[in-house]
Amino acid sequence: MPKMKQNFSESRKKGKQKNHPPETADDFLAAGVELEEAGEKWRAGDAAKSTRFFIRAVDNYETALLRFPRSFDLAYNKARVQYQITQYAKLAAQLPTPLVELLQIALDSHRYALNLRQDNADALFNTAQVLTSVAEVVSEGRRASESSRNDALKMLQEALELFQRCLAVQEFQFTEPQERMEMTNETPPTAELDDGDENGGFHNSSESTEDEQWASVYEPVTKDTLVDTAVAQLETLTTACGFLTSDAGSGLAWVEEYSNNLLRGKIAAYVQGTDRHHEVDLARANFMCALADTNYRTGRIDVNTYLEEMTSAFDTKLDLSQDPQGLCDRADASIAFTSAIFESISPLPGENQHKGALVNALLWRQLTVASTSLTSASKLPTAQNLAKINIARGDVELFRLRLGEAPLYHDIAKKHAATLMKNAETYFRGAAALANNEGSIDEEREATVKLAIAGAMAGDGSKLVASTREEKIYVFRVVEEMVEDGIVGKEWSEKVGSAGISL
């Protein structure tokens, strides 16, 4: 399931609006922060109004940078707001610019800010986060072209390098006050004042009052800070695994070496004394499953080893009963496992029917785990994006239905085909309604198309014909993704073609 970038640093958003038009860098900072706060105020209730305030904040920072191009705070705030807009679908949907272009603009702004202060941990962290987001959007994993995968990998490798630099800075900032305290018996400071540069940062003229003084306040680096960065690295490695199916050699070896150093060394030390063990364990589980999936798809491990790796990753010690995101991640792991195994199956001759029965039982069991996990997640009061969860539930039902077809012909799937189809339609219909109520345009669009596909599979192709006529390219892309994931057969790509649909 997609996750928001929760760890995006906001440590430099600060200010207090003055009553006169902005003249100094500090004035522009104060004006920008006031606009941001207005945007945040309206974000939940009025996406259009919220977006207008955020865009005005960006425009304010851009105007200021024309006058104060070396102000790190101005550049940082501009980049941060641009990226934040992309992380809220309702806000990004208010803009005519495609998401990939919005992310590229944010990336360019982050590079500009980072160039002004290359050892700033927040700028390093945020730039790495943006690179990861761009990589996820410009390429769609196994469905992407070789060129797109290579571009995505380069971005992810750069992101990991920036995270490494960020972690080095944070480790120094974490240990340096302690060492100084041990030497001098002083209490470590809780904040530092940054004298900035001639165009921004600390401002204290003879005409300024105390309220008008500015300082960049840095929160002390703690173990939680180090865990944030280390987990972000692990999540980036998890993303990278999806782009390595064409590189079973040096790429995977590099990922495995990097992850070993991270998991067995740094994260294990950072997490001690914190309450972040569950978060770290879940990130580790997701990575282990992603790595096992890539190893299987590239022929480096067999089915049994893949299953052992996944089972070990999500063992009984990892309690997901109250964690909706963790339950969705567990479902994703089972779905990916089923897709990978199903993709490698060829028609089984008579003497291998016993083997076929074993595969049937294995895949049915994993899809049942996925279904159960998603159902449990949907019932938790802390669950977010219920529309997306219900779309996944519908996908699982169609996948279970698929097991009753060639080459497996699973008895249970065939026996309960009508029920599975009805369940899928129910989940997609519910997802569309939830998304409509929440204003989630992307989820409503996806659920509507998948409901039409399920209807066509059940014998009523009218909705799919109508959807195809309205937005043929999008419908075809959804069908292609479902085919690649094993949810529907390849014949559906042929039925939904460039000339329309034939049912």
Side-chain angles (χ1 to χ4, degrees):
M1 302 294 288
K3 292 187 275 191
M4 299 292 287
K5 298 295 188 294
Q6 297 292 342
N7 294 328
F8 196 81
S9 174
E10 296 194 37
S11 65
R12 303 192 72 85
K13 190 188 78 172
K14 55 190 172 40
K16 182 177 181 179
Q17 175 63 31
K18 300 180 181 181
N19 294 323
H20 57 76
E23 297 177 357
T24 67
D26 293 346
D27 292 344
F28 281 103
L29 281 169
V33 169
E34 186 172 88
L35 290 167
E36 287 186 57
E37 290 173 346
E40 291 166 356
K41 174 183 176 182
W42 291 101
R43 187 168 59 200
D46 191 332
K49 191 171 185 177
S50 175
T51 304
R52 287 196 295 270
F53 276 116
F54 283 126
I55 293 301
R56 286 174 60 190
V58 171
D59 291 342
N60 169 82
Y61 294 134
E62 287 184 339
T63 300
L65 284 167
L66 293 175
R67 296 176 59 182
F68 308 103
R70 303 298 299 172
S71 171
F72 172 73
D73 283 342
L74 288 170
Y76 180 96
N77 276 11
K78 172 192 169 185
R80 175 180 48 73
V81 175
Q82 287 175 327
Y83 181 61
Q84 282 185 321
I85 290 174
T86 70
Q87 297 305 288
Y88 292 91
K90 293 181 182 180
L91 302 187
Q94 304 300 317
L95 302 175
T97 309
L99 178 60
V100 65
E101 293 183 24
L102 291 174
L103 284 168
Q104 188 59 56
I105 291 170
L107 178 58
D108 292 340
S109 296
H110 276 83
R111 293 193 191 282
Y112 181 91
L114 187 58
N115 187 56
L116 294 176
R117 196 165 297 177
Q118 298 186 19
D119 62 347
N120 182 272
D122 290 335
L124 288 165
F125 183 95
N126 293 353
T127 306
Q129 289 275 53
V130 179
L131 279 164
T132 302
S133 292
V134 176
E136 291 171 344
V137 172
V138 301
S139 181
E140 297 181 355
R142 298 187 308 276
R143 291 178 289 273
S145 66
E146 189 71 21
S147 175
S148 295
R149 282 198 296 269
N150 290 336
D151 289 343
L153 273 175
K154 289 178 183 177
M155 292 180 191
L156 294 173
Q157 287 172 336
E158 182 182 356
L160 288 167
E161 291 171 2
L162 293 178
F163 278 133
Q164 280 287 81
R165 287 169 54 189
C166 174
L167 198 56
V169 172
Q170 290 172 334
E171 286 176 332
F172 173 78
Q173 293 173 344
F174 177 72
T175 58
E176 193 266 342
Q178 295 179 341
E179 294 174 353
R180 185 170 65 240
M181 182 176 62
E182 291 174 357
M183 294 177 62
T184 63
N185 291 323
E186 294 179 354
T187 301
T190 58
E192 297 181 6
L193 297 183
D194 177 16
D195 58 5
D197 50 54
E198 59 181 342
N199 295 315
F202 187 79
H203 172 74
N204 186 13
S205 69
S206 59
E207 298 178 359
S208 298
T209 67
E210 182 177 354
D211 286 341
E212 293 173 329
Q213 293 180 5
W214 279 76
S216 296
V217 180
Y218 295 93
E219 296 180 359
V221 174
T222 65
K223 280 193 170 184
D224 281 317
T225 311
L226 300 176
V227 170
D228 284 342
T229 304
V231 168
Q233 284 180 284
L234 194 55
E235 291 173 343
T236 301
L237 283 172
T238 301
T239 302
C241 288
F243 302 103
L244 288 171
T245 53
S246 62
D247 183 5
S250 59
L252 281 173
W254 171 77
V255 167
E256 289 173 338
E257 180 181 0
Y258 193 112
S259 62
N260 283 335
N261 293 334
L262 185 63
L263 287 170
R264 296 179 182 178
K266 295 182 180 297
I267 290 184
Y270 299 156
V271 76
Q272 296 302 318
T274 73
D275 60 355
R276 309 283 293 278
H277 289 273
H278 176 83
E279 178 186 352
V280 168
D281 289 344
L282 181 59
R284 180 189 290 111
N286 288 332
F287 169 73
M288 289 175 60
C289 289
L291 182 61
D293 184 75
T294 301
N295 277 328
Y296 176 79
R297 291 179 184 274
T298 54
R300 303 179 77 197
I301 61 175
D302 59 16
V303 174
N304 291 330
T305 304
Y306 186 178
L307 181 61
E308 290 172 2
E309 290 288 333
M310 182 176 62
T311 304
S312 174
F314 286 98
D315 60 17
T316 55
K317 296 179 182 179
L318 185 56
D319 182 10
L320 302 176
S321 60
Q322 299 302 312
D323 181 1
Q325 184 58 57
L327 288 166
C328 290
D329 290 345
R330 179 66 185 90
D332 284 346
S334 286
I335 294 169
F337 175 87
T338 304
S339 178
I341 307 308
F342 193 87
E343 187 178 300
S344 65
I345 292 174
S346 58
L348 299 169
E351 62 268 20
N352 284 329
Q353 290 305 303
H354 176 65
K355 177 182 178 181
L358 293 177
V359 172
N360 271 330
L362 174 61
L363 299 189
W364 182 265
R365 183 165 57 250
Q366 289 304 316
L367 289 177
T368 301
V369 169
S371 178
T372 302
S373 298
L374 291 169
T375 300
S376 298
S378 69
K379 294 179 179 179
L380 292 175
T382 55
Q384 298 180 1
N385 204 338
L386 288 174
K388 197 70 175 177
I389 294 176
N390 275 287
I391 290 173
R393 295 173 76 185
D395 287 343
V396 170
E397 295 303 278
L398 290 185
F399 209 155
R400 293 209 285 186
L401 179 67
R402 181 95 193 279
L403 297 186
E405 303 172 357
L408 292 178
Y409 300 106
H410 187 41
D411 289 336
I412 298 178
K414 289 191 294 182
K415 181 179 179 180
H416 298 283
T419 300
L420 294 172
M421 179 61 71
K422 183 178 179 180
N423 288 346
E425 291 182 286
T426 299
Y427 293 141
F428 290 142
R429 187 179 297 108
L434 285 167
N436 179 267
N437 292 335
E438 297 170 357
S440 301
I441 299 174
D442 292 341
E443 283 77 11
E444 182 179 8
R445 193 180 181 200
E446 180 183 358
T448 300
V449 170
K450 288 187 173 180
L451 176 60
I453 293 171
M457 294 174 68
D460 180 6
S462 58
K463 292 182 180 179
L464 185 54
V465 170
S467 296
T468 304
R469 288 172 179 167
E470 291 176 1
E471 43 183 357
K472 180 167 52 182
I473 295 177
Y474 178 74
V475 172
F476 188 72
R477 180 160 64 86
V478 171
V479 172
E480 282 289 283
E481 290 175 353
M482 295 175 75
V483 170
E484 290 290 338
D485 289 336
I487 297 171
V488 298
K490 293 181 179 179
E491 67 274 11
W492 285 94
S493 293
E494 301 171 0
K495 291 180 178 180
V496 183
S498 59
I501 180 170
S502 56
L503 293 173

